[in-house]
Amino acid sequence: MRPAPARPKDEAPSKGLRVFGSLLAPTTLLTALLFYFGTRHATFFCDWFGVHYSVLGLTAPDYLIRSSDGMFVPLTVLAAGGLATLWGYRFLHSALAPRTWRALTRRAVPVLVSLGLVFLLLGLTGLVLPRLLYAVPGLPGVCVAVGVILFPAAEHLQTTLSGKRAAGVVPVIQWTFTFVLASIGLFWAVNDYSAAVGATRGYEYQTRLGTLPQTVVFSTKDIGIRGPGVTTTACSTADSVYRFRYDGLVMVLQSTGQSLLLPKEWNQRDGVALVLPRSGDTRLEFSRPEAQRDRSC
């Protein structure tokens, strides 16, 4: 008796993934995405201090480094969630009796379709009423991505039950669109999360100003640095190159010769940030917050 021929595997997801992967393969596109997320992070970090990020002249490496802060948690959650779903599916498929598995699958199909609709509606609500879902950064985008993926997951379970698989180019197109829409949702989620992380880092800096290294600015002329806790000392020594000294400052960020400084007692209500360009007329000195510094010039 000849063995029954093996059922053809459903290659639509893999073909769709290859098509979509060919669009994301260029390194320049991935770099552009990292650059964009880093820009969002820097924008909201600087905005916390009332400074527009563009005046600091941040470089491409600065943005790429900042992008990792906003992408670490989303990528970890995505990978962990995907692995947990895959392992759970394989475990149940192998542990349950065939009859029990078919009954579970039959009930899971309408549940997945219903959940997909709910998640999609929640995600679209984030477009109409943004404040409704933005209490959790990235939630609208996550809802769109999850909702889109649940529909083909339900279809896969249904075709497994019936044993009928669609052939031709239609499944490949369907999976390609699924990957595109899911990626848009994930892009939306990471975009919102990067912005939220940038603002959170700004708040963390504000709460730690008193414990950060001290920055002393020396200048050949009075550059008018004023702020809560900032002291100005006029140097009367005849041979002193720098005539003014400013204490009570903290360095927050520096790039391409631009330094973002804050008074140690800065607050968001009425505090003013200082962007100091690199110049031969100024000098910066740093020390640990607990160091006892000489106040002379």
Side-chain angles (χ1 to χ4, degrees):
M1 185 175 179
R2 298 178 61 184
R7 290 181 179 177
K9 295 182 179 179
D10 185 7
E11 297 182 354
S14 60
K15 289 182 179 179
L17 185 59
R18 285 198 297 270
V19 171
F20 182 63
S22 65
L23 301 176
L24 292 180
T27 306
T28 52
L29 180 56
L30 296 177
T31 303
L33 289 174
L34 294 175
F35 185 88
Y36 176 79
F37 293 137
T39 302
R40 293 288 289 173
H41 185 287
T43 298
F44 282 82
F45 175 81
C46 295
D47 182 69
W48 185 266
F49 306 111
V51 177
H52 196 277
Y53 77 99
S54 62
V55 302
L56 295 173
L58 297 175
T59 63
D62 292 328
Y63 291 124
L64 294 179
I65 292 173
R66 287 185 172 275
S67 68
S68 63
D69 190 28
M71 295 186 68
F72 178 77
V73 171
L75 290 179
T76 302
V77 173
L78 176 64
L83 281 176
T85 303
L86 178 61
W87 289 340
Y89 175 85
R90 297 181 65 179
F91 172 77
L92 291 175
H93 189 270
S94 60
L96 298 178
R99 184 176 180 180
T100 306
W101 171 254
R102 286 194 298 271
L104 178 63
T105 302
R106 192 175 295 108
R107 293 171 181 168
V109 170
V111 172
L112 291 178
V113 173
S114 300
L115 287 177
L117 288 173
V118 171
F119 279 117
L120 274 179
L121 289 176
L122 283 175
L124 295 178
T125 302
L127 290 175
V128 181
L129 301 171
R131 295 184 179 274
L132 185 62
L133 296 180
Y134 273 83
V136 180
L139 181 59
V142 171
C143 288
V144 170
V146 173
V148 169
I149 292 174
L150 288 179
F151 291 114
E155 183 188 23
H156 172 73
L157 293 179
Q158 182 62 37
T159 54
T160 302
L161 284 173
S162 62
K164 298 179 181 179
R165 300 184 184 277
V169 72
V170 175
V172 177
I173 296 176
Q174 174 185 318
W175 277 99
T176 301
F177 286 152
T178 298
F179 291 133
V180 170
L181 290 174
S183 299
I184 291 174
L186 293 176
F187 178 88
W188 183 6
V190 176
N191 175 65
D192 292 343
Y193 183 80
S194 296
V197 170
T200 301
R201 295 292 179 258
Y203 170 75
E204 291 175 353
Y205 258 83
Q206 178 183 347
T207 59
R208 295 173 50 232
L209 286 176
T211 63
L212 294 175
Q214 304 178 59
T215 302
V216 180
V217 178
F218 293 90
S219 176
T220 57
K221 57 184 178 181
D222 187 5
I223 54 179
I225 299 180
R226 305 291 185 268
V230 177
T231 59
T232 304
T233 303
C235 305
S236 57
T237 308
D239 59 350
S240 176
V241 176
Y242 298 97
R243 311 300 298 175
F244 293 89
R245 168 183 174 145
Y246 305 91
D247 292 270
L249 295 167
V250 173
M251 170 76 76
V252 176
L253 185 65
Q254 192 208 46
S255 181
T256 61
Q258 300 277 69
S259 300
L260 175 59
L261 302 169
L262 292 176
K264 273 196 171 184
E265 299 177 11
W266 184 91
N267 62 81
Q268 199 177 37
R269 181 175 55 84
D270 57 2
V272 176
L274 170 68
V275 177
L276 185 67
R278 179 179 296 175
S279 169
D281 294 330
T282 59
R283 186 182 84 233
L284 302 180
E285 288 187 359
F286 306 93
S287 63
R288 295 180 61 83
E290 68 274 10
Q292 300 297 321
R293 295 180 56 91
D294 182 8
R295 292 284 179 168
S296 64
C297 296

